[in-house]
Each structure stands twice: as C-alpha cells, then as structure tokens.
C-alpha cells in the first residue's frame, strides 16, 4: 500500500513530458481525424484565391516590388492559411471543451499550466505546419516559386503558428459560447489576416493606414514569410522577428496566467 504522505505528490520531475506529449497527440489527432476539413479545405481555399486573382487581375497588373503579382501574392496566402488554421485548432478545441463541460478532462490530470499551454500550442503549430507544407508544395511544383531564404520562411511560419495558436487560447478562454467564438473570428481574426499586406504591399496605403498596419504583428508574419519565399518585403525581417517574438511572448504569458488562475475555465 502506498504511503499516504506520498499521495498527490508530483512524480514527473520539473516537467511532465509524457502528459504534455499525450495532450499534444490528442490535439493533433483531432484535426487528422477530419483531415479533409482541416487540411484539405485550406489547400482548396488557397488554390481558389490564387486562381481568382490570377484570372481576374494577375495578367493585367504590373509587377509588385519587382516580382510578378502572383508570386508576390502566394506567400501571403500561404501565411494567411497557416495562421487561420493554427488559431482555429486551439480555439475550437478549448471552446468545445468548455461548452460541452469536458474541460475537466484537461484540468484534472497532473499537468501544470505551462504543460497545458505547451500541449495546446504544439497541436496548433502542427496543424499550421501541415497546411504550410501542403500549400508550399503547390507553390514550388505548380507555380515554380522557390525559397529565397528557407531559414526565414520556416522561422516566421513557426512563429506565426505559435502566435495564433496562443491567441486562439486567449479567445477561447474569453468566449463562453460558440457564437462568441465565431464573432471573435469574424470581426477580429479575419480582418487582421486580410488587412495585413496579404494581397498588397503596404507602400500603396495612405500614410496613416500604413502606420497603423506596422503596429499589427500579423503584418510582420506575412511580410517575413514573403521575404523568406521570394526575397522581398516591406520591412526588415529582423524587425519583424523582434516584434513577433515580443507579441508571441505576451500572448503566451496571458494564456499561462489564465490557465494558472482558472479564469473562465473553472466554476
């Protein structure tokens, strides 16, 4: 019989790697079980964006920043797909658990707030990178777009997925119902991704709007992937890296604090 003094003692060391890996696996299997919806649909959507823009204005529009418009557009669509899917993975998982009442299955196991945070974000990053690889292969083999700076492309893709996965946890923690989550997605996340230089260079914007855009971390994510893919950008990748690291760190800190205090998670 176990000594009563050892009951409830954490036996996993400083970090519960097994529990975190198990949570990550659960999050990954969630989107792999419905891969047509979670991986196939973003690929089709990205293809439709490229096809529509190419047929509508691609041939008539002059080069943007010295590259063909379609080549300029493709990295932005790739990154937009990555961040939207990373956000959707964590937000849908957490808000579903809250609404159905099985959030206890995540909070009760011997997982610290940091371990829960890492597990959720790892699942969101995995989904984002699956989407990035699928769309990236299309860009390489169909459009003939290579990688001008692979390190930068990978860095910003990973950072973008982590940032938006963390933001998904913040949104899902705050939302109490599915319609609240849908409102956050439609009125905050979608405008952030569409109005961040995805379809245009911010050089064409009026000075006031250009200044506002430069305070949006999503702009630097899209701009960074564009630099890594085709070698051109509206800003320095080093500045973008610094902004995105700070923004990601702040959002993760909010997630960790809310998980630690049980804000809107515990009755």
């Amino acid at each position: 019989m176990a000594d009563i003094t050892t009951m409830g003692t954490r036996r996993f060391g400083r970090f519960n790697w097994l529990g975190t890996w198990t949570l990550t696996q659960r999050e990954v299997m969630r989107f792999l079980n419905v891969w047509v919806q979670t991986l196939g649909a973003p690929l089709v959507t990205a293809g439709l964006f490229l096809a529509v823009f190419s047929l509508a204005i691609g041939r008539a529009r002059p080069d943007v920043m010295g590259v063909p418009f379609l080549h300029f557009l493709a990295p932005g669509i790739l990154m937009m797909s990555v961040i939207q899917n990373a956000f959707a993975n964590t937000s849908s998982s957490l808000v579903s658990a809250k609404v159905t009442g099985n959030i206890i299955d995540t909070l009760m196991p011997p997982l610290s707030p940091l371990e829960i945070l890492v597990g959720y974000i790892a699942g969101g990053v995995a989904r984002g990178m699956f989407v990035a690889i699928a769309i990236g292969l299309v860009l390489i083999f169909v459009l003939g777009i290579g990688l001008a700076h692979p390190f930068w492309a990978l860095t910003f893709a990973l950072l973008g997925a982590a940032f938006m996965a963390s933001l998904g946890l913040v949104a899902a923690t705050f939302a109490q119902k599915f319609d609240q989550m849908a409102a956050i997605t439609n009125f905050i996340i979608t405008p952030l991704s569409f109005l961040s230089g995805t379809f245009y260079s911010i050089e064409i914007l009026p000075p006031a709007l250009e200044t506002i855009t430069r305070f949006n971390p999503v702009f630097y994510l899209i701009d960074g992937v564009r630099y890594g893919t085709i070698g051109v950008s509206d800003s320095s990748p080093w500045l973008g890296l610094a902004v995105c690291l700070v923004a990601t760190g702040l959002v993760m800190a909010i997630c960790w604090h809310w998980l630690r205090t049980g804000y809107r998670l515990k009755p």
Side-chain angles (χ1 to χ4, degrees), residues 146-203:
L147 290 175
H149 306 286
F151 169 77
W152 285 110
L154 178 62
T155 298
F156 278 102
L158 288 170
L159 194 56
F163 172 70
M164 294 304 292
S166 304
L167 200 59
L169 290 178
V170 170
T173 302
F174 185 80
Q176 299 285 49
K177 298 182 292 185
F178 287 118
D179 58 345
Q180 292 177 348
M181 192 67 251
I184 293 172
T185 301
N186 293 331
F187 295 109
I188 298 178
I189 302 305
T190 299
L192 278 179
S193 58
F194 274 72
L195 302 177
S196 303
T198 301
F199 306 104
Y200 53 83
S201 169
I202 65 169
E203 293 178 353

Side-chain angles (χ1 to χ4, degrees), residues 19-265:
T20 305
W21 173 244
T22 302
L23 178 57
T24 301
Q25 283 185 307
R26 188 195 74 178
E27 293 302 297
V28 171
M29 292 306 298
R30 282 185 67 254
F31 71 80
L32 287 182
N33 285 335
V34 287
W35 65 270
V36 173
Q37 174 186 344
T38 56
L39 302 179
L43 184 59
V44 172
T45 301
L48 288 173
F49 269 119
L50 291 172
V52 169
F53 275 95
S54 177
L55 294 172
I57 60 175
R59 297 176 184 272
R61 180 159 183 172
D63 291 352
V64 180
M65 301 176 70
V67 299
F69 174 65
L70 196 60
H71 287 202
F72 173 87
L73 180 67
I77 291 177
L78 182 151
M79 193 58 190
M80 182 182 69
S81 301
V82 169
I83 61 179
Q84 287 180 342
N85 279 272
F87 176 88
N89 202 72
T90 53
S91 61
S92 64
S93 178
L94 186 57
V95 80
S96 296
K98 290 173 59 179
V99 172
T100 58
N102 61 15
I103 185 65
I104 192 69
D105 294 336
T106 301
L107 299 178
M108 281 298 291
L111 292 169
S112 69
L114 177 61
E115 291 157 358
I116 295 174
L117 177 64
V118 171
Y120 271 113
I121 291 177
V125 170
R127 177 169 168 180
M129 295 311 296
F130 269 96
V131 171
I133 292 171
I135 298 177
L137 291 175
V138 173
L139 302 188
I140 293 172
F141 293 108
V142 177
L143 298 181
I145 301 175
L147 290 175
H149 306 286
F151 169 77
W152 285 110
L154 178 62
T155 298
F156 278 102
L158 288 170
L159 194 56
F163 172 70
M164 294 304 292
S166 304
L167 200 59
L169 290 178
V170 170
T173 302
F174 185 80
Q176 299 285 49
K177 298 182 292 185
F178 287 118
D179 58 345
Q180 292 177 348
M181 192 67 251
I184 293 172
T185 301
N186 293 331
F187 295 109
I188 298 178
I189 302 305
T190 299
L192 278 179
S193 58
F194 274 72
L195 302 177
S196 303
T198 301
F199 306 104
Y200 53 83
S201 169
I202 65 169
E203 293 178 353
I204 68 172
L205 296 175
L209 287 179
E210 181 179 349
T211 300
I212 293 173
T213 301
R214 291 186 181 276
F215 283 93
N216 180 2
V218 179
F219 157 69
Y220 294 99
L221 294 171
I222 292 173
D223 201 49
V225 168
R226 181 170 285 133
Y227 175 78
T229 305
I230 60 177
V232 299
S233 60
D234 283 307
S235 65
S236 165
W238 291 104
L239 173 61
L241 180 63
V243 171
C244 294
L245 283 173
V246 171
T248 303
L250 288 175
V251 177
M252 285 184 176
I254 294 172
C255 293
W256 174 82
H257 176 68
W258 284 358
L259 286 169
R260 184 177 65 85
T261 59
Y263 174 70
R264 293 205 172 199
L265 295 174

